[in-house]
Amino acid sequence: MPEPAERRGMTVAEKIAELQDQRARLLLGGGPDRIARQHKAGKLTARERVAALVDPDSFQELFLFARHRCQMFSMADKELPADGVVTGAATVDGRLVHLASQDFTVAGGAAGQVHSEKIAEMMSLSMKTGSPFIFINDSGGARVQEGIDSLAGYGRVFYHNVLLSGLVPQISLICGPCAGGAAYSPALTDFIIQTRRAQMFITGPSVIKEVTGEEVTAEQLGGPGAQMNYSGVVHFVAEDDLDAAQLCRKLLSFLPQNNLEDPPRLEHSETIVADESLNTIIPDDPKKPFDMKEVIYRIVDRSDFLEVQPQFARNAVIGFGRIQGRTVGIVANQPMVLAGALDIDSSDKISRFVRFCNAFNISLVTLVDVPGFMPGVKQEHGGIIRHGAKMLFAYSASTVPKVSVILRKAYGGAYLAMCGKDLGADYCAAWPSAEVAVMGAEGAVGVVFAREIESATDQAARRAELIEAYRREFSTPYVAAARRLIDDIIEPADTRRYLAYALEALQNKRELRPEKKHGLIPL
């Protein structure tokens, strides 16, 4: 394209000054008034979010001068700085990331063809360089003026989401509206961090609260009597944009750059001190709950545990911690909720997390206190068999180091689903309080000794006697240890030491599987 006539006589210095003027104008996005409105709404601008997330002075913006090609609906002469999305590369804690941050001050952050092409180009660079991709969402949706071209742009982003899946970590920050088809890109990423002011929906704002995983009032969900909805779409809820950026930085600190690297190992003390408080954390009454998170805090470095989806399927706990500086993915039952039983939602929650950890070389630590799969017609009709099978598949398919510790109950199929020895656990230990059995003693006695109890003079006393005998003979960890279903019975105080030694021994684990395109998880 020939140089415009007005530029032909310009000196180099004048052209540099022109560049500086254009850059300064474009960096203002939608201009001071719209930036002020963004701040008044309690939100940062696209570039302010990037600055909060990345290391100081590390951001290199790409495609600042990109411009849409739409000629319809008065768009031909309409300038949209950076086409409404800030894209580039930066470092977080010295490690490379590529990112895109939608600019709501420019046409409401609406996504047109060039807008989406910029995002997809960043994803391609993530793939080429083996670096995480971060997408900060704040958009009213597709740019209607561009019609199907905007839809094609979305399609390209979705396609690249899938290309990156399992290759590099993908994290979405929802800091404003994320409407319609745009919501599917975050749904295809590994983790979603949403601020409390943000909105994420397909068909309308009336369902905004359903996707946060946060408990809300009935009035917020459509009036008195409305059912609470915990959809599990969002993994972390942040107070504001700054909090979302800090959460993202912390999450990245646990993760490797890509699927060919191990997570970074931090400095740690070589001395491991036994924690005597763990010896008293299990109640004497097997029906009495305890908080599994207290166990987790005591076995990870500096009690630093980043829980994932804390408000969704709370009968299961998942998240990242470190043991002797090594990142581990922790999966645990939570006896405080539904007695720690596995249901549809917790099965999905655990399965997805296990598959993420396996994709990115993160060792799995499983803490077991599970009375079984949740019974009931609602669970059966909802497909608990299919959902529970996801856990069996996810753990069996995982080749990363897997260490399980049975704290108390480990009953039936749920015992297997929580990474029992036969599902590939490399190390499996039990506390003295562990009960490994097909079912609880109370249920088993009712089946095995039904006639004997019926014929007893004092049925209650005979039942209690048989329950105690069954528990003594079949529900102790020593029976499982004798059959090598567990490798060791350990004192609870030594759990951290046991895990540290097991992970050290497994650091070079290699497990070959039959060559195939991929397995068929029961989705």
Side-chain angles (χ1 to χ4, degrees):
M1 185 175 180
E3 187 177 35
E6 62 269 19
R7 299 190 77 249
R8 289 175 189 163
M10 293 175 64
T11 66
V12 171
E14 288 173 332
K15 290 181 179 180
I16 291 174
E18 178 192 43
L19 168 65
Q20 292 171 342
D21 289 343
Q22 287 208 33
R23 184 178 291 276
R25 177 172 49 80
L26 293 174
L27 289 175
L28 279 176
D33 291 343
R34 292 185 179 178
I35 290 174
R37 287 204 293 271
Q38 184 86 343
H39 289 163
K40 187 176 181 180
K43 302 194 298 182
L44 299 178
T45 66
R47 289 186 173 81
E48 287 170 342
R49 289 167 180 151
V50 171
L53 172 63
V54 305
D55 298 337
D57 300 320
S58 70
F59 180 59
Q60 179 185 24
E61 186 165 353
L62 300 174
F63 311 122
L64 172 63
F65 297 94
R67 178 179 172 83
H68 68 85
R69 297 183 286 270
C70 183
Q71 300 295 309
M72 303 173 65
F73 305 109
S74 304
M75 289 287 290
D77 298 322
K78 186 173 291 185
E79 182 182 59
L80 302 178
D83 208 53
V85 61
V86 178
T87 53
T91 61
V92 175
D93 292 330
R95 299 196 296 162
L96 178 68
V97 300
H98 285 84
L99 51 85
S101 179
Q102 292 180 313
D103 189 348
F104 195 80
T105 70
V106 178
Q113 182 179 12
V114 171
H115 178 114
S116 294
E117 287 175 350
K118 288 179 63 175
I119 297 168
E121 185 66 25
M122 290 302 100
M123 299 167 88
S124 293
L125 286 171
S126 280
M127 187 161 49
K128 291 177 181 178
T129 60
S131 56
F133 175 68
I134 302 165
F135 188 7
I136 305 174
N137 292 257
D138 188 3
S139 169
R143 193 175 295 164
V144 178
Q145 296 92 329
E146 296 193 28
I148 60 173
D149 288 336
S150 64
L151 294 180
Y154 272 149
R156 189 175 178 195
V157 171
F158 300 161
Y159 181 75
H160 279 77
N161 281 133
V162 177
L163 288 181
L164 265 62
S165 181
L167 185 69
V168 298
Q170 299 181 79
I171 302 173
S172 298
L173 278 65
I174 314 298
C175 297
C178 184
Y184 282 114
S185 177
L188 289 167
T189 62
D190 300 310
F191 296 101
I192 299 175
I193 303 170
Q194 179 170 329
T195 68
R196 293 189 183 277
R197 293 178 180 270
Q199 305 166 348
M200 189 180 179
F201 52 84
I202 296 295
T203 58
S206 63
V207 295
I208 289 170
K209 294 295 183 180
E210 296 187 5
V211 299
T212 65
E214 286 279 287
E215 184 173 355
V216 295
T217 65
E219 287 74 19
Q220 287 174 306
L221 285 176
Q227 294 295 314
M228 301 301 169
N229 190 337
Y230 309 92
S231 70
V233 173
V234 172
H235 298 83
F236 304 95
V237 176
E239 292 300 322
D240 52 30
D241 291 355
L242 287 175
D243 188 34
Q246 290 306 308
L247 265 172
C248 185
R249 289 181 66 94
K250 182 168 185 177
L251 175 59
L252 285 168
S253 75
F254 287 101
L255 308 182
Q257 288 289 90
N258 54 65
N259 67 327
L260 298 180
E261 296 183 10
D262 290 329
R265 188 175 186 185
L266 303 189
E267 293 183 3
H268 58 281
S269 171
E270 296 297 332
T271 304
I272 302 176
V273 179
D275 189 341
E276 299 295 334
S277 67
L278 288 175
N279 285 347
T280 57
I281 204 164
I282 297 289
D284 291 330
D285 183 352
K287 294 182 180 180
K288 188 175 181 180
F290 66 96
D291 190 350
M292 184 65 80
K293 292 182 189 179
E294 292 300 320
V295 176
I296 296 172
Y297 295 143
R298 284 165 169 77
I299 64 173
V300 298
D301 296 353
R302 296 179 292 277
S303 299
D304 184 17
F305 176 59
L306 179 60
E307 187 175 0
V308 177
Q309 293 179 298
Q311 296 298 328
F312 173 66
R314 293 184 298 117
N315 45 322
V317 178
I318 59 172
F320 298 105
R322 294 183 181 90
I323 297 177
Q324 293 299 90
R326 282 195 179 90
T327 294
V328 294
I330 296 176
V331 176
N333 307 112
Q334 175 55 287
M336 300 292 290
V337 181
L338 301 178
L342 295 172
D343 61 356
I344 289 171
D345 286 342
S346 61
S347 296
D348 287 354
K349 175 179 175 177
I350 291 172
S351 301
R352 190 170 189 267
F353 182 71
V354 167
R355 286 171 67 81
F356 174 84
C357 290
N358 187 57
F360 291 105
N361 311 312
I362 298 172
S363 300
L364 287 160
V365 172
T366 305
L367 305 176
V368 184
D369 183 8
V370 62
F373 281 98
M374 180 67 64
V377 173
K378 184 177 180 180
Q379 288 290 309
E380 296 289 355
H381 286 179
I384 184 63
I385 297 173
R386 174 168 52 88
H387 290 269
K390 294 179 187 180
M391 287 185 62
L392 300 173
F393 190 104
Y395 268 123
S396 297
S398 298
T399 57
V400 294
K402 294 179 285 191
V403 184
S404 298
V405 181
I406 302 171
L407 281 62
R408 192 164 60 173
K409 298 171 184 173
Y411 293 162
Y415 149 67
L416 295 174
M418 290 297 293
C419 202
K421 189 73 173 176
D422 292 298
L423 253 67
D426 300 294
Y427 280 67
C428 187
W431 286 6
S433 49
E435 300 178 23
V436 184
V438 174
M439 64 175 66
E442 290 84 353
V445 164
V447 173
V448 177
F449 301 109
R451 291 185 180 180
E452 187 173 338
I453 293 172
E454 287 178 7
S455 62
T457 305
D458 188 340
Q459 292 186 3
R462 184 55 178 156
R463 178 179 173 82
E465 181 183 336
L466 290 170
I467 288 173
E468 182 57 34
Y470 185 93
R471 185 175 285 126
R472 184 173 58 252
E473 292 295 326
F474 297 104
S475 299
T476 72
Y478 299 100
V479 175
R483 288 163 171 76
R484 295 187 297 111
L485 296 177
I486 56 176
D487 303 316
D488 198 4
I489 302 171
I490 63 173
E491 188 176 331
D494 291 329
T495 302
R496 178 173 159 82
R497 180 184 291 113
Y498 176 86
L499 292 171
Y501 288 173
L503 293 169
E504 180 71 25
L506 294 167
Q507 63 175 322
N508 294 320
K509 175 188 173 184
R510 296 292 181 268
E511 187 172 331
L512 300 178
R513 296 293 179 94
E515 186 175 345
K516 56 186 175 182
K517 196 168 186 179
H518 56 74
L520 300 173
I521 188 169
L523 296 174

PDB file of all heavy atoms in Angstrom, residues 469-493:
ATOM      1  N   ALA A 469     -17.445 -57.786  66.630  1.00  0.00           N
ATOM      2  CA  ALA A 469     -16.653 -58.920  66.149  1.00  0.00           C
ATOM      3  C   ALA A 469     -16.296 -58.729  64.669  1.00  0.00           C
ATOM      4  O   ALA A 469     -15.159 -58.997  64.256  1.00  0.00           O
ATOM      5  CB  ALA A 469     -17.429 -60.218  66.343  1.00  0.00           C
ATOM      6  N   TYR A 470     -17.258 -58.265  63.877  1.00  0.00           N
ATOM      7  CA  TYR A 470     -17.000 -58.053  62.445  1.00  0.00           C
ATOM      8  C   TYR A 470     -15.958 -56.953  62.253  1.00  0.00           C
ATOM      9  O   TYR A 470     -15.031 -57.093  61.441  1.00  0.00           O
ATOM     10  CB  TYR A 470     -18.302 -57.667  61.734  1.00  0.00           C
ATOM     11  CG  TYR A 470     -18.153 -57.549  60.232  1.00  0.00           C
ATOM     12  CD1 TYR A 470     -18.422 -58.628  59.404  1.00  0.00           C
ATOM     13  CD2 TYR A 470     -17.731 -56.347  59.638  1.00  0.00           C
ATOM     14  CE1 TYR A 470     -18.280 -58.527  58.020  1.00  0.00           C
ATOM     15  CE2 TYR A 470     -17.583 -56.239  58.267  1.00  0.00           C
ATOM     16  CZ  TYR A 470     -17.858 -57.328  57.464  1.00  0.00           C
ATOM     17  OH  TYR A 470     -17.704 -57.224  56.100  1.00  0.00           O
ATOM     18  N   ARG A 471     -16.103 -55.876  63.013  1.00  0.00           N
ATOM     19  CA  ARG A 471     -15.150 -54.778  62.886  1.00  0.00           C
ATOM     20  C   ARG A 471     -13.747 -55.230  63.280  1.00  0.00           C
ATOM     21  O   ARG A 471     -12.757 -54.871  62.634  1.00  0.00           O
ATOM     22  CB  ARG A 471     -15.606 -53.597  63.753  1.00  0.00           C
ATOM     23  CG  ARG A 471     -14.744 -52.357  63.602  1.00  0.00           C
ATOM     24  CD  ARG A 471     -15.307 -51.179  64.386  1.00  0.00           C
ATOM     25  NE  ARG A 471     -16.479 -50.614  63.723  1.00  0.00           N
ATOM     26  CZ  ARG A 471     -17.656 -50.430  64.297  1.00  0.00           C
ATOM     27  NH1 ARG A 471     -17.846 -50.805  65.544  1.00  0.00           N
ATOM     28  NH2 ARG A 471     -18.651 -49.884  63.633  1.00  0.00           N
ATOM     29  N   ARG A 472     -13.662 -56.049  64.309  1.00  0.00           N
ATOM     30  CA  ARG A 472     -12.365 -56.536  64.783  1.00  0.00           C
ATOM     31  C   ARG A 472     -11.718 -57.478  63.771  1.00  0.00           C
ATOM     32  O   ARG A 472     -10.508 -57.450  63.551  1.00  0.00           O
ATOM     33  CB  ARG A 472     -12.543 -57.235  66.130  1.00  0.00           C
ATOM     34  CG  ARG A 472     -11.236 -57.701  66.772  1.00  0.00           C
ATOM     35  CD  ARG A 472     -11.465 -58.224  68.178  1.00  0.00           C
ATOM     36  NE  ARG A 472     -12.425 -59.331  68.205  1.00  0.00           N
ATOM     37  CZ  ARG A 472     -13.656 -59.248  68.682  1.00  0.00           C
ATOM     38  NH1 ARG A 472     -14.113 -58.103  69.151  1.00  0.00           N
ATOM     39  NH2 ARG A 472     -14.467 -60.295  68.671  1.00  0.00           N
ATOM     40  N   GLU A 473     -12.538 -58.298  63.111  1.00  0.00           N
ATOM     41  CA  GLU A 473     -11.993 -59.312  62.210  1.00  0.00           C
ATOM     42  C   GLU A 473     -11.769 -58.806  60.784  1.00  0.00           C
ATOM     43  O   GLU A 473     -10.823 -59.222  60.118  1.00  0.00           O
ATOM     44  CB  GLU A 473     -12.944 -60.526  62.166  1.00  0.00           C
ATOM     45  CG  GLU A 473     -13.003 -61.298  63.469  1.00  0.00           C
ATOM     46  CD  GLU A 473     -11.676 -61.948  63.815  1.00  0.00           C
ATOM     47  OE1 GLU A 473     -10.959 -62.362  62.876  1.00  0.00           O
ATOM     48  OE2 GLU A 473     -11.341 -62.020  65.015  1.00  0.00           O
ATOM     49  N   PHE A 474     -12.652 -57.911  60.318  1.00  0.00           N
ATOM     50  CA  PHE A 474     -12.604 -57.566  58.894  1.00  0.00           C
ATOM     51  C   PHE A 474     -12.367 -56.085  58.605  1.00  0.00           C
ATOM     52  O   PHE A 474     -11.970 -55.740  57.493  1.00  0.00           O
ATOM     53  CB  PHE A 474     -13.923 -57.974  58.215  1.00  0.00           C
ATOM     54  CG  PHE A 474     -14.169 -59.448  58.244  1.00  0.00           C
ATOM     55  CD1 PHE A 474     -15.096 -59.991  59.137  1.00  0.00           C
ATOM     56  CD2 PHE A 474     -13.478 -60.309  57.410  1.00  0.00           C
ATOM     57  CE1 PHE A 474     -15.332 -61.350  59.179  1.00  0.00           C
ATOM     58  CE2 PHE A 474     -13.705 -61.669  57.440  1.00  0.00           C
ATOM     59  CZ  PHE A 474     -14.625 -62.199  58.330  1.00  0.00           C
ATOM     60  N   SER A 475     -12.601 -55.210  59.568  1.00  0.00           N
ATOM     61  CA  SER A 475     -12.538 -53.782  59.286  1.00  0.00           C
ATOM     62  C   SER A 475     -11.254 -53.120  59.748  1.00  0.00           C
ATOM     63  O   SER A 475     -11.141 -51.898  59.713  1.00  0.00           O
ATOM     64  CB  SER A 475     -13.742 -53.068  59.935  1.00  0.00           C
ATOM     65  OG  SER A 475     -14.946 -53.555  59.404  1.00  0.00           O
ATOM     66  N   THR A 476     -10.288 -53.871  60.193  1.00  0.00           N
ATOM     67  CA  THR A 476      -9.033 -53.276  60.650  1.00  0.00           C
ATOM     68  C   THR A 476      -8.068 -53.147  59.470  1.00  0.00           C
ATOM     69  O   THR A 476      -8.171 -53.876  58.480  1.00  0.00           O
ATOM     70  CB  THR A 476      -8.381 -54.152  61.729  1.00  0.00           C
ATOM     71  OG1 THR A 476      -7.863 -55.335  61.120  1.00  0.00           O
ATOM     72  CG2 THR A 476      -9.387 -54.519  62.805  1.00  0.00           C
ATOM     73  N   PRO A 477      -7.095 -52.266  59.581  1.00  0.00           N
ATOM     74  CA  PRO A 477      -6.116 -52.139  58.494  1.00  0.00           C
ATOM     75  C   PRO A 477      -5.196 -53.355  58.383  1.00  0.00           C
ATOM     76  O   PRO A 477      -4.571 -53.553  57.340  1.00  0.00           O
ATOM     77  CB  PRO A 477      -5.338 -50.883  58.872  1.00  0.00           C
ATOM     78  CG  PRO A 477      -5.490 -50.759  60.351  1.00  0.00           C
ATOM     79  CD  PRO A 477      -6.868 -51.275  60.652  1.00  0.00           C
ATOM     80  N   TYR A 478      -5.134 -54.165  59.447  1.00  0.00           N
ATOM     81  CA  TYR A 478      -4.200 -55.298  59.443  1.00  0.00           C
ATOM     82  C   TYR A 478      -4.639 -56.381  58.458  1.00  0.00           C
ATOM     83  O   TYR A 478      -3.809 -57.069  57.864  1.00  0.00           O
ATOM     84  CB  TYR A 478      -4.057 -55.862  60.856  1.00  0.00           C
ATOM     85  CG  TYR A 478      -3.518 -54.823  61.807  1.00  0.00           C
ATOM     86  CD1 TYR A 478      -4.376 -54.119  62.655  1.00  0.00           C
ATOM     87  CD2 TYR A 478      -2.157 -54.521  61.831  1.00  0.00           C
ATOM     88  CE1 TYR A 478      -3.887 -53.138  63.509  1.00  0.00           C
ATOM     89  CE2 TYR A 478      -1.667 -53.538  62.678  1.00  0.00           C
ATOM     90  CZ  TYR A 478      -2.532 -52.855  63.521  1.00  0.00           C
ATOM     91  OH  TYR A 478      -2.050 -51.885  64.347  1.00  0.00           O
ATOM     92  N   VAL A 479      -5.947 -56.523  58.257  1.00  0.00           N
ATOM     93  CA  VAL A 479      -6.432 -57.480  57.264  1.00  0.00           C
ATOM     94  C   VAL A 479      -6.011 -57.039  55.872  1.00  0.00           C
ATOM     95  O   VAL A 479      -5.513 -57.833  55.060  1.00  0.00           O
ATOM     96  CB  VAL A 479      -7.976 -57.608  57.344  1.00  0.00           C
ATOM     97  CG1 VAL A 479      -8.491 -58.515  56.233  1.00  0.00           C
ATOM     98  CG2 VAL A 479      -8.393 -58.130  58.710  1.00  0.00           C
ATOM     99  N   ALA A 480      -6.191 -55.741  55.567  1.00  0.00           N
ATOM    100  CA  ALA A 480      -5.784 -55.215  54.264  1.00  0.00           C
ATOM    101  C   ALA A 480      -4.270 -55.299  54.088  1.00  0.00           C
ATOM    102  O   ALA A 480      -3.775 -55.610  52.992  1.00  0.00           O
ATOM    103  CB  ALA A 480      -6.257 -53.773  54.120  1.00  0.00           C
ATOM    104  N   ALA A 481      -3.522 -55.034  55.167  1.00  0.00           N
ATOM    105  CA  ALA A 481      -2.065 -55.103  55.078  1.00  0.00           C
ATOM    106  C   ALA A 481      -1.603 -56.531  54.828  1.00  0.00           C
ATOM    107  O   ALA A 481      -0.629 -56.771  54.093  1.00  0.00           O
ATOM    108  CB  ALA A 481      -1.441 -54.560  56.355  1.00  0.00           C
ATOM    109  N   ALA A 482      -2.285 -57.495  55.428  1.00  0.00           N
ATOM    110  CA  ALA A 482      -1.909 -58.898  55.232  1.00  0.00           C
ATOM    111  C   ALA A 482      -2.095 -59.324  53.781  1.00  0.00           C
ATOM    112  O   ALA A 482      -1.375 -60.199  53.286  1.00  0.00           O
ATOM    113  CB  ALA A 482      -2.749 -59.785  56.150  1.00  0.00           C
ATOM    114  N   ARG A 483      -3.045 -58.693  53.099  1.00  0.00           N
ATOM    115  CA  ARG A 483      -3.294 -59.011  51.697  1.00  0.00           C
ATOM    116  C   ARG A 483      -2.582 -58.045  50.752  1.00  0.00           C
ATOM    117  O   ARG A 483      -2.841 -58.045  49.558  1.00  0.00           O
ATOM    118  CB  ARG A 483      -4.805 -58.992  51.425  1.00  0.00           C
ATOM    119  CG  ARG A 483      -5.526 -60.180  52.050  1.00  0.00           C
ATOM    120  CD  ARG A 483      -7.017 -59.947  52.143  1.00  0.00           C
ATOM    121  NE  ARG A 483      -7.733 -61.146  52.544  1.00  0.00           N
ATOM    122  CZ  ARG A 483      -7.774 -61.636  53.782  1.00  0.00           C
ATOM    123  NH1 ARG A 483      -7.091 -61.007  54.752  1.00  0.00           N
ATOM    124  NH2 ARG A 483      -8.460 -62.733  54.068  1.00  0.00           N
ATOM    125  N   ARG A 484      -1.701 -57.215  51.292  1.00  0.00           N
ATOM    126  CA  ARG A 484      -0.903 -56.241  50.536  1.00  0.00           C
ATOM    127  C   ARG A 484      -1.757 -55.239  49.768  1.00  0.00           C
ATOM    128  O   ARG A 484      -1.338 -54.704  48.748  1.00  0.00           O
ATOM    129  CB  ARG A 484       0.084 -56.945  49.600  1.00  0.00           C
ATOM    130  CG  ARG A 484       1.143 -57.745  50.337  1.00  0.00           C
ATOM    131  CD  ARG A 484       2.228 -58.304  49.420  1.00  0.00           C
ATOM    132  NE  ARG A 484       1.689 -59.243  48.452  1.00  0.00           N
ATOM    133  CZ  ARG A 484       1.616 -59.013  47.149  1.00  0.00           C
ATOM    134  NH1 ARG A 484       2.022 -57.873  46.648  1.00  0.00           N
ATOM    135  NH2 ARG A 484       1.119 -59.931  46.331  1.00  0.00           N
ATOM    136  N   LEU A 485      -2.969 -54.962  50.272  1.00  0.00           N
ATOM    137  CA  LEU A 485      -3.787 -53.891  49.709  1.00  0.00           C
ATOM    138  C   LEU A 485      -3.323 -52.533  50.226  1.00  0.00           C
ATOM    139  O   LEU A 485      -3.664 -51.495  49.662  1.00  0.00           O
ATOM    140  CB  LEU A 485      -5.257 -54.109  50.048  1.00  0.00           C
ATOM    141  CG  LEU A 485      -5.878 -55.383  49.449  1.00  0.00           C
ATOM    142  CD1 LEU A 485      -7.317 -55.535  49.899  1.00  0.00           C
ATOM    143  CD2 LEU A 485      -5.795 -55.358  47.929  1.00  0.00           C
ATOM    144  N   ILE A 486      -2.585 -52.556  51.330  1.00  0.00           N
ATOM    145  CA  ILE A 486      -1.884 -51.365  51.809  1.00  0.00           C
ATOM    146  C   ILE A 486      -0.439 -51.772  52.092  1.00  0.00           C
ATOM    147  O   ILE A 486      -0.152 -52.919  52.431  1.00  0.00           O
ATOM    148  CB  ILE A 486      -2.545 -50.748  53.064  1.00  0.00           C
ATOM    149  CG1 ILE A 486      -2.668 -51.769  54.185  1.00  0.00           C
ATOM    150  CG2 ILE A 486      -3.883 -50.142  52.725  1.00  0.00           C
ATOM    151  CD1 ILE A 486      -3.221 -51.190  55.457  1.00  0.00           C
ATOM    152  N   ASP A 487       0.470 -50.827  51.927  1.00  0.00           N
ATOM    153  CA  ASP A 487       1.891 -51.119  52.064  1.00  0.00           C
ATOM    154  C   ASP A 487       2.383 -51.016  53.500  1.00  0.00           C
ATOM    155  O   ASP A 487       3.356 -51.673  53.875  1.00  0.00           O
ATOM    156  CB  ASP A 487       2.705 -50.161  51.194  1.00  0.00           C
ATOM    157  CG  ASP A 487       2.294 -50.224  49.734  1.00  0.00           C
ATOM    158  OD1 ASP A 487       2.107 -51.341  49.224  1.00  0.00           O
ATOM    159  OD2 ASP A 487       2.145 -49.153  49.113  1.00  0.00           O
ATOM    160  N   ASP A 488       1.713 -50.153  54.273  1.00  0.00           N
ATOM    161  CA  ASP A 488       2.193 -49.938  55.634  1.00  0.00           C
ATOM    162  C   ASP A 488       1.066 -49.350  56.472  1.00  0.00           C
ATOM    163  O   ASP A 488       0.131 -48.739  55.950  1.00  0.00           O
ATOM    164  CB  ASP A 488       3.387 -48.979  55.627  1.00  0.00           C
ATOM    165  CG  ASP A 488       4.213 -49.047  56.906  1.00  0.00           C
ATOM    166  OD1 ASP A 488       3.892 -49.902  57.774  1.00  0.00           O
ATOM    167  OD2 ASP A 488       5.169 -48.268  57.030  1.00  0.00           O
ATOM    168  N   ILE A 489       1.161 -49.579  57.764  1.00  0.00           N
ATOM    169  CA  ILE A 489       0.274 -48.930  58.736  1.00  0.00           C
ATOM    170  C   ILE A 489       1.145 -47.966  59.514  1.00  0.00           C
ATOM    171  O   ILE A 489       2.139 -48.378  60.135  1.00  0.00           O
ATOM    172  CB  ILE A 489      -0.389 -49.958  59.663  1.00  0.00           C
ATOM    173  CG1 ILE A 489      -1.188 -50.972  58.830  1.00  0.00           C
ATOM    174  CG2 ILE A 489      -1.306 -49.254  60.666  1.00  0.00           C
ATOM    175  CD1 ILE A 489      -1.701 -52.148  59.631  1.00  0.00           C
ATOM    176  N   ILE A 490       0.815 -46.704  59.445  1.00  0.00           N
ATOM    177  CA  ILE A 490       1.692 -45.681  60.006  1.00  0.00           C
ATOM    178  C   ILE A 490       1.016 -44.932  61.147  1.00  0.00           C
ATOM    179  O   ILE A 490      -0.217 -44.854  61.221  1.00  0.00           O
ATOM    180  CB  ILE A 490       2.132 -44.672  58.927  1.00  0.00           C
ATOM    181  CG1 ILE A 490       0.915 -43.913  58.354  1.00  0.00           C
ATOM    182  CG2 ILE A 490       2.892 -45.383  57.805  1.00  0.00           C
ATOM    183  CD1 ILE A 490       1.287 -42.780  57.390  1.00  0.00           C
ATOM    184  N   GLU A 491       1.826 -44.381  62.011  1.00  0.00           N
ATOM    185  CA  GLU A 491       1.319 -43.495  63.055  1.00  0.00           C
ATOM    186  C   GLU A 491       0.919 -42.179  62.397  1.00  0.00           C
ATOM    187  O   GLU A 491       1.665 -41.634  61.567  1.00  0.00           O
ATOM    188  CB  GLU A 491       2.406 -43.259  64.101  1.00  0.00           C
ATOM    189  CG  GLU A 491       1.936 -42.503  65.322  1.00  0.00           C
ATOM    190  CD  GLU A 491       3.021 -42.383  66.374  1.00  0.00           C
ATOM    191  OE1 GLU A 491       3.886 -43.280  66.441  1.00  0.00           O
ATOM    192  OE2 GLU A 491       2.992 -41.385  67.125  1.00  0.00           O
ATOM    193  N   PRO A 492      -0.251 -41.644  62.697  1.00  0.00           N
ATOM    194  CA  PRO A 492      -0.682 -40.405  62.040  1.00  0.00           C
ATOM    195  C   PRO A 492       0.359 -39.283  62.107  1.00  0.00           C
ATOM    196  O   PRO A 492       0.529 -38.543  61.137  1.00  0.00           O
ATOM    197  CB  PRO A 492      -1.957 -40.034  62.807  1.00  0.00           C
ATOM    198  CG  PRO A 492      -2.511 -41.365  63.246  1.00  0.00           C
ATOM    199  CD  PRO A 492      -1.304 -42.200  63.571  1.00  0.00           C
ATOM    200  N   ALA A 493       1.067 -39.193  63.225  1.00  0.00           N
ATOM    201  CA  ALA A 493       2.064 -38.132  63.387  1.00  0.00           C
ATOM    202  C   ALA A 493       3.156 -38.201  62.327  1.00  0.00           C
ATOM    203  O   ALA A 493       3.812 -37.196  62.033  1.00  0.00           O
ATOM    204  CB  ALA A 493       2.687 -38.213  64.783  1.00  0.00           C
TER     205      ALA A 493
END
